[in-house]
Structures are given as C-alpha cells and as structure tokens.
Amino acid sequence: MSSYLEALNPEQREAVETLDGPLLVLAGAGTGKTRVLTTRFAHILVSGRARPWEVLAVTFTNKAAREMRERIAGILGRPVEGLWLGTFHALCARMLRRHAELVGLTSSFTILDADDQLRLLKQVMEAAAVDLKRWPAQGLMAQIQRWKDRGLTPGRVTPAEDTDYAGGRARALYADYQDRLRALNTADFGDLLLHVTEILRTHPDVLAGYHRSFRYILVDEYQDTNLVQYLWLRLLAQRPEPEPQNICCVGDDDQSIYSWRGAEIENILRFEKDFRGASVVRLESNYRSTRPILGAASGLIARNTGRLGKTLRPGRHDADGEKVRVVSLWDSEEEARMVGERIEAARRVGHPLSQIAILIRAGFQTRSFEERLIVLGVPYRVVGGLKFYERQEVRDALAYLRVLHQPADDLAFERIVNVPKRGLGDSGMRALHERARAERVPLATAAERIVEGDSLKPKPRSAIRELMQGFARWRQANEKDGHVVAAATLLDESGYTAMWQAEATKNNAEAQGRLENLKELLRAMGEFQTLAGFLDHVALVMENDENTEAERVQLMTLHAAKGLEFDTVFLPGWEEGLFPSQRSLDEGGEKALEEERRLAYVGITRARRRAIISHAANRRIYGNWSPAIPSRFLDELPEDMILREGGTGRANRAADVASVFSGGGLLARRPRVIEAGSWEVKERPAQETGFARGERVFHDKFGYGTVTAVDDDRLEVAFDKADTKRVLDRFVRRASEV
C-alpha cells in the first residue's frame, strides 16, 4: 500500500507524511497540489490515524470533490463511504440539517435560488415602503451577501459595517429579510455558512461534538476563502489544548485573485499566527512549464510584498524551452492579426487548437480576436461566457441600431421598446400589435401613431413618444455626424447606458463589464464606413461563426483560466489602464496592484511550452485612435527569460510568423517603455504645439523637469526630484504655465 508514496517528490512526501499539528502547504502553480491533498487523505486512512468519517475535506467546486473521491478510491483500491468531503456549501448544508432548530428552521428547510431570493427581498422592501426605483433590490441583495460573506448576522452588523442604502435602513431590512426566510422555513446560499458559523459560535456543545468527530481537516484552495469560510474553519480546527489542531490547508498566496467576490488573501498569510507551531511545506517543483516561463512568472511575482515567498523550479525533464515572447505592436488591430496568424501557423504544423488559449483581462477584449478567428476560419469557443455579439447588452444595442437603420424591423423594435423600462406592460404591447395589424404598418409606425391617442396610459404614452422622437433625432445625427456618434448618442439618450451605470454604482462588476462591452461595440463600429456596413458585418459574423470541428481555440478571461493549462498561451493587452486595470487600482490602490500582478502570474503559468505577451501602442476609442502605455508588468519581467519582438509598423513585420514555433521570431526591437505613474494623474487636452528638447515642464506627480528627448507625443523627461521617465505630452505642462 505504501507504493503511493513512491510517486511523490521529497517535498510532496513531506506534506503527505506531516500528520501531527497544523500544516500549511504552499503549492505553486503546477506543483501537484491535488495529488498531495488526495494522497494525504488516503495516507491518513491507510495509516489508521482516522476512519473515513473522521476526516473533514473541503473543496471549492463539486468537480474537485468528485476528483478527490475518485483518486482516494484509486489509491485504496476500493470505494470509500461516509466521507465528509465536499464544498463549503454542501458540507454546511449537511451540518445545518442536523441543527436547523437552533436558528429557527426545521431540518426540512429549502434552499432558495437567486431569483427567489430577489423576489422575497422585493416583497420585504415593498412592505417597508422602500422606493424600489430609487433603491433597487439588487443593490441591497449585494450588500446582504457581503455581510453574510463576512459572517455578520443582522445583530452583528455594527455602525461601521452599516451602509446608507435605502436611507440608512439596510440593516433593518436585512433583519426583516432573515425573519421572512425563517417564517418560510428557507435559507439562501449565504445562510448555509452563516447559520452554521453562528451555531458553532454560540453553542459550545455543538462545537465540542464536531471537535470529537473530526480528527483531521483538509482544505483546498485556502487562498480563496472569504471571512465566513475562514471563521467556520478556524472554529472547527482550534481545539482546546492539549488536543491537536490537525488542520492542513493547501493553497498558493500568489494565485489569490478573487477579492472581488470576497476572498481574503490575509487568511493564508496569517495561518502561522492563527495556528501556533504550524509547519509550512513549500511545493516548488513545477511539472507543467518550461524554465523560461517559470523564470518570467517568478521574477514578476517577486515584486509583491504581501506574500509568503517561494520560487518555482522546473520539475520536468524537458524544462529548457523558448523564452517568453513580448511582442510590441502598432495597434490593437495588428495585435489581433498577429495572434490569428500565429495560431494559423501553429495549426499548419499540427498544433492542437484545443491546446491554444487567448487569455484576456476584460471581457470586451474578446471581440477583436473573435472576428479575426472567424475571418481565418479558425474554430474557437469562449469559456465561461457568451461570444461577444451574443451578450445581452450587445444584442440590445444592436436591436436599437437595427431600428435606427430600418424602422420596419419589428423583431428589433419589440426587443427594445421597453428596455429600459418605459411602463409598457402586456396590455400596452397588445395595443401596439393590434394597431400595427389593423393598419398594416410596422410596430415603429404604429407606436408613432398610437401616442397621438389615449389608448395607452399617460406614463407609457409619454415615454414611447419620447423614444420615437429620439429615433428621429438619432437618424439625423447618423446622416450629419456619422454612425459612431449617432450610436453613442442613442445609447445615452435612450436611457440604456444609464440603466447599466445605475447598476455599476452599486459595485456590480457584471454591470461594469456590460458598459465596457458597449464601449467595445462602438470601437468596432469605428472600423466601418456606414451603419449599414457594420450591421451587415455583424449578421455575417453571427451566421458564420459556428463550426462543427471539435478542436477549438480557447478564449477566456484570466480569472476563468485559473486551474487550467495549455501548450501555447497568448496574453494580449498588457497596457496601463487595461492590465493592470485602472478601475481596480482606483478602488484598491497598492493592494489591488498586487492582486493584478498575481493575475499576471496566473496567466503566464497557464503555459506549458509557449507564452506570448503582447501590447499595442495605440487602441481605438469611439472610432478614434489613442496612444496606449505599456503595462508596468512588462518592465518587471526578467530580461534573461524573455525575448522582445516587433517594430511598430506593418512594414517592419517579419513575413515568417510560423518562426515562433521553430525558435525564431520577429525583428527584435525593444519597445518604448512609458512611465506607468503618468497614468495616475489627470490627462489634459493634446498640446497645440509640441515640446522641444531642453524645455522645462511640470508634471503633477513628479514635479519640474527638463525634456531630454521627443518622440511624437512621447517625451523623455529628466525630473529634478525623480528619475528620468517616459510620459505622454498630455500629462505635462510647460513650466512657464504653472
């Protein structure tokens, strides 16, 4: 039976055989953490330290739990029954069934889904006479879930934790919502952990029972735990002395990238303080990636200060591979072409498409790569999301544009006439359809006519009249100012943009992503001469993008890529403001920057053999080209692990793009390095006249300096109280003007 230990390297074996006391296993990317966790579980059973039901094993996904169960059975040579093995929510639901009466429920309680939760909260808010238009229920639900993620019952919400939502009534509404859940004998997903944690906090006899039941606790992905998960685990693990605290947490502080959904990196960083005498084992032998990939990733993440520290080293026999390529391109269109052409070249030499991934920072970036892959006939799939033109907000915007172009498009008009809400209910829509059928006219024409009568109620009649007058204005704008300006005006004046902005102000990351997708749609329109040409293009793209071929390129966000691996990984868009995300930096400062750097580390370490990072000097915004600053992360990559490629013009591009798969590359040229800090100060209008060498300038962050070099709108400035830096000229003023 001990043969399962022989397959482990020394550090893995130490993590498996260290069974007494608290243990933190720092498992770097690709170091075999799942093998360690499952082998440790099996070793506990084989060595007779505990019986199957005396081990509590916690995972983050049902898939991980199934995989662990299967691997344990494989090691033992038989299925194992009675395991306490599952996700946080599954295990807490099982516990709550046992003790439901302690929180006012019965063991037969039901668990509400997200729609039912929201419907119930709306009922509570309506009963309290809350204006749901001013204070939408979604915003309060998000706040309640944040409280639950922090282990806060209504009684534990302090004034410091409170919010002014709904006129300062959020905490009271939270209490009413919880009372209503109990009255219905239901719980939401947040309650599963919250209720059990509260039971363990307030009922020492229940906690002591679990201390007797669980001799060992195993936790996967510890760096992703939120506060209530941490509290639950700590209560179960911190036994009174002299009982042993046999908790083993496996995780990687360098891969903590989910703070936006409540994960607290501090949980893993303070493990040794929480559990005195804890052992720490570092898994640093990476079996996934080549030496240059690991070297680039390690050099980057070493810039973070909030980490426990480890250095990945190659564990595979063929560790020597090509360097990480950093490709500098003139614009975002050329970037999409570069990625597409290299994928085509890889395909021609037999590279499996399923082993190629394009990993992006923001969802709106998929559009340019999707369109390029469609043009090339390369099948792809968007992992963890819809294809760009299939997303709700993009379809809505396209429906508006279709009506703008062709008022007789009834399907498009029906989609947007009440989006955002204009008070047009079922009876109003029925009246519209009846008028259109009776007069044999399109719905848009029927709408123009029906608002002149009184068959609609005053509110929807006024809203529809305003919408139809808007379409008349937007058509004039299309003819006078062009389709991009008309589209931007339409989305703003129709209230559609404001609808999502209202959601975004509640820290709704999904709504913010939808707004970014709308901006990307406008960028895409700028590539076409007319609205008709753009709409034809979209129709053809949506018609031709399906391909029955099983092999597909994987296109996903960096967050969705965690836990996956591919032979070849493209990492585009490494520019300030995009990656690291300016929104994240504005909201979280230095802490957010370190998480962005961890996200970059995750992206690079997804690659087994080949990583290609790219950035563009220019990106299109609302149809106009704007200069982009290379990401600060590019300068943090160790030079001996990377190969910089590419000029800044199409004429400079090497013909043989396939050379990337045979050790060659584009014409080597170090890209301009622009000072990242300049992005943090207010941008000014472009200077009417350029700056000259030797001219004195002033920068809001770096102070006074002297221009030492000029390259178009990019300046090299020797600052009096800072180093020489590269900045865009719009971020400085002439010293004489200060």
Side-chain angles (χ1 to χ4, degrees):
M1 293 294 292
S2 61
S3 60
Y4 60 84
L5 296 174
E6 296 173 3
L8 305 176
N9 67 32
E11 56 202 22
Q12 290 174 335
R13 185 157 182 167
E14 181 184 358
V16 167
E17 294 186 309
T18 303
L19 297 181
D20 295 322
L23 172 67
L24 176 62
V25 180
L26 286 176
T31 57
K33 73 174 181 64
T34 304
R35 168 182 285 188
V36 165
L37 202 60
T38 53
T39 306
R40 179 181 172 88
F41 197 140
H43 186 61
I44 289 170
L45 301 183
V46 171
S47 62
R49 292 294 194 104
R51 292 168 290 187
W53 54 88
E54 293 177 325
V55 181
L56 178 70
V58 191
T59 65
F60 263 84
T61 65
N62 290 315
K63 178 183 176 184
R66 285 194 304 271
E67 183 179 353
M68 187 180 294
R69 191 182 300 271
E70 291 167 0
R71 289 197 185 194
I72 293 169
I75 292 173
L76 299 179
R78 66 180 190 280
V80 185
E81 302 298 332
L83 297 179
W84 279 81
L85 167 60
T87 64
F88 281 96
H89 288 99
L91 293 169
C92 283
R94 185 173 169 183
M95 289 181 172
L96 189 56
R97 297 280 178 204
R98 289 182 166 189
H99 311 289
E101 72 284 352
L102 298 179
V103 289
L105 301 173
T106 72
S107 60
S108 61
F109 70 85
T110 56
I111 302 171
L112 296 186
D113 61 21
D115 289 341
D116 287 339
Q117 292 171 32
L118 194 60
R119 189 162 63 249
L120 181 63
L121 184 59
K122 284 180 179 178
Q123 293 174 8
V124 169
M125 296 175 74
E126 287 169 351
V130 175
D131 183 353
L132 290 176
K133 291 183 178 177
R134 184 180 180 189
W135 307 105
Q138 292 91 332
L140 181 57
M141 179 57 73
Q143 179 59 57
I144 288 173
Q145 293 306 323
R146 282 194 290 272
W147 280 331
K148 291 186 177 184
D149 285 346
R150 296 188 63 78
L152 299 174
T153 62
R156 292 184 184 272
V157 177
T158 65
E161 293 277 357
D162 205 352
T163 172
D164 60 359
Y165 198 87
R169 290 188 288 167
R171 181 169 52 170
L173 290 167
Y174 176 24
D176 291 344
Y177 171 69
Q178 292 300 98
D179 289 342
R180 186 71 180 134
L181 285 169
R182 288 190 185 89
L184 296 173
N185 195 35
T186 59
D188 64 22
F189 276 98
D191 284 331
L192 299 177
L193 272 150
L194 181 69
H195 283 329
V196 174
T197 301
E198 193 64 15
I199 289 169
L200 298 178
R201 278 169 159 173
T202 57
H203 293 79
D205 56 326
V206 175
L207 179 59
Y210 282 114
H211 284 164
R212 290 190 296 270
S213 296
F214 300 135
R215 299 175 62 83
Y216 288 90
I217 298 175
L218 306 177
V219 187
D220 193 13
E221 303 285 9
Y222 190 57
Q223 79 282 347
D224 292 335
T225 52
N226 62 29
L227 192 54
V228 73
Q229 291 164 342
Y230 163 80
L231 292 172
W232 178 74
L233 285 168
R234 197 176 66 176
L235 284 163
L236 291 171
Q238 287 186 334
R239 302 159 177 253
E241 294 183 357
E243 295 182 48
Q245 298 181 358
N246 293 331
I247 182 171
C248 171
C249 293
V250 180
D252 184 0
D253 52 324
D254 291 335
Q255 295 189 70
S256 180
I257 59 173
Y258 296 122
S259 66
W260 48 274
R261 66 185 190 198
E264 299 266 2
I265 189 174
E266 289 79 9
N267 294 350
I268 193 169
L269 297 181
R270 66 180 173 221
F271 185 88
E272 292 177 89
K273 292 182 180 178
D274 288 336
F275 300 99
R276 286 182 297 175
S279 301
V280 179
V281 175
R282 288 171 168 79
L283 305 185
E284 298 177 315
S285 293
N286 176 285
Y287 296 94
R288 174 189 300 158
S289 306
T290 61
R291 180 175 286 103
I293 290 171
L294 297 180
S298 296
L300 178 67
I301 200 62
R303 301 290 186 119
N304 275 5
T305 57
R307 62 190 296 258
L308 296 171
K310 61 184 173 306
T311 302
L312 295 182
R313 58 180 183 272
R316 46 190 283 182
H317 65 279
D318 56 343
D320 293 326
E322 61 185 73
K323 293 183 177 183
V324 173
R325 293 170 186 263
V326 177
V327 185
S328 174
L329 298 147
W330 176 248
D331 58 36
S332 48
E333 290 181 2
E334 187 177 39
E335 181 180 55
R337 279 196 300 275
M338 179 274 292
V339 172
E341 289 170 4
R342 294 194 185 203
I343 290 173
E344 268 284 81
R347 188 186 195 184
R348 286 195 294 271
V349 297
H351 193 307
L353 292 181
S354 61
Q355 286 302 316
I356 299 176
I358 305 172
L359 307 183
I360 54 173
R361 175 62 183 89
F364 72 84
Q365 291 176 263
T366 67
R367 198 270 312 169
S368 58
F369 297 107
E370 287 186 59
E371 295 201 357
R372 191 63 197 162
L373 294 175
I374 290 168
V375 167
L376 294 172
V378 175
Y380 71 94
R381 73 184 185 104
V382 179
V383 178
L386 295 171
K387 294 181 178 180
F388 183 78
Y389 290 114
E390 293 174 352
R391 295 167 188 171
Q392 175 191 337
E393 65 281 4
V394 175
R395 283 186 174 273
D396 288 345
L398 288 172
Y400 268 107
L401 296 175
R402 283 163 54 192
V403 175
L404 184 68
H405 175 63
Q406 174 51 270
D409 191 333
D410 281 359
L411 288 175
F413 184 82
E414 193 169 13
R415 181 182 180 103
I416 56 87
V417 67
N418 206 36
V419 179
K421 297 289 185 184
R422 297 188 172 93
L424 194 68
D426 292 341
S427 60
M429 284 302 301
R430 191 160 50 247
L432 264 182
H433 279 286
E434 289 172 355
R435 186 72 172 260
R437 284 196 299 270
E439 300 183 12
R440 296 185 177 181
V441 294
L443 282 174
T445 304
E448 290 174 340
R449 295 176 182 177
I450 204 170
V451 296
E452 301 307 321
D454 58 3
S455 56
L456 293 180
K457 294 178 181 179
K459 182 178 178 181
R461 183 167 69 239
S462 174
I464 299 304
R465 179 186 292 115
E466 185 178 336
L467 176 66
M468 301 318 296
Q469 291 171 348
F471 271 114
R473 288 196 311 276
W474 304 326
R475 290 190 184 99
Q476 291 177 354
N478 185 35
E479 294 175 3
K480 180 183 176 183
D481 302 317
H483 59 295
V484 178
V485 172
T489 305
L490 180 159
L491 292 173
D492 285 342
E493 293 185 354
S494 67
Y496 190 76
T497 303
M499 179 182 77
W500 291 117
Q501 285 173 336
E503 287 297 309
T505 58
K506 305 165 197 167
N507 291 323
N508 185 329
E510 180 182 351
Q512 187 63 48
R514 293 184 191 277
L515 288 169
E516 290 172 349
N517 289 338
L518 293 174
K519 293 177 184 176
E520 179 62 21
L521 182 69
L522 294 175
R523 282 193 280 269
M525 293 179 67
E527 298 172 12
F528 296 83
Q529 295 295 318
T530 64
L531 177 58
F534 173 67
L535 291 174
D536 286 348
H537 165 77
V538 172
L540 292 170
V541 164
M542 296 180 74
E543 174 69 23
N544 295 328
D545 69 353
E546 286 305 320
N547 190 308
T548 57
E549 191 174 341
E551 282 282 314
R552 292 170 181 263
V553 171
Q554 313 295 299
L555 182 55
M556 70 190 81
T557 64
L558 287 159
H559 284 101
K562 186 169 176 288
L564 304 178
E565 55 186 73
F566 307 91
D567 284 345
T568 298
V569 169
F570 290 92
L571 298 158
W574 282 40
E575 297 141 26
E576 287 294 313
L578 180 54
F579 192 40
S581 160
Q582 190 61 41
R583 182 161 56 90
S584 295
L585 298 187
D586 290 343
E587 294 173 359
E590 187 64 27
K591 185 175 180 180
L593 174 61
E594 295 216 344
E595 180 156 334
E596 290 285 299
R597 192 176 282 113
R598 292 194 293 271
L599 196 55
Y601 171 84
V602 166
I604 295 172
T605 55
R606 298 312 93 194
R608 293 194 195 100
R609 300 183 178 279
R610 192 170 295 107
I612 301 107
I613 301 170
S614 59
H615 71 98
N618 300 278
R619 284 200 180 267
R620 191 189 294 271
I621 300 177
Y622 297 126
N624 299 314
W625 289 102
S626 295
I629 296 176
S631 171
R632 68 191 74 187
F633 297 154
L634 296 177
D635 273 352
E636 295 175 359
L637 297 170
E639 286 295 331
D640 58 335
M641 296 294 170
I642 64 174
L643 175 64
R644 298 186 184 269
E645 295 183 4
T648 54
R650 295 180 182 89
N652 295 7
R653 297 174 67 247
D656 186 13
V657 296
S659 63
V660 70
F661 293 96
S662 58
L666 298 180
L667 188 63
R669 181 177 184 273
R670 182 181 175 86
R672 301 185 187 94
V673 178
I674 308 298
E675 169 56 44
S678 65
W679 202 264
E680 300 167 4
V681 300
K682 186 176 180 180
E683 180 178 351
R684 300 182 181 83
Q687 299 285 344
E688 292 183 7
T689 57
F691 292 90
R693 285 186 62 186
E695 193 166 2
R696 293 286 288 172
V697 296
F698 178 80
H699 186 284
D700 287 344
K701 180 177 179 181
F702 305 123
Y704 290 95
T706 302
V707 177
T708 57
V710 179
D711 182 2
D712 193 21
D713 60 348
R714 296 163 169 82
L715 308 177
E716 184 177 276
V717 181
F719 287 101
D720 298 348
K721 297 182 179 180
D723 297 333
T724 297
K725 299 181 184 296
R726 290 278 188 140
V727 297
L728 296 174
D729 65 4
R730 69 197 63 189
F731 291 97
V732 299
R733 288 169 283 175
R734 288 180 168 82
S736 60
E737 298 173 359
V738 179

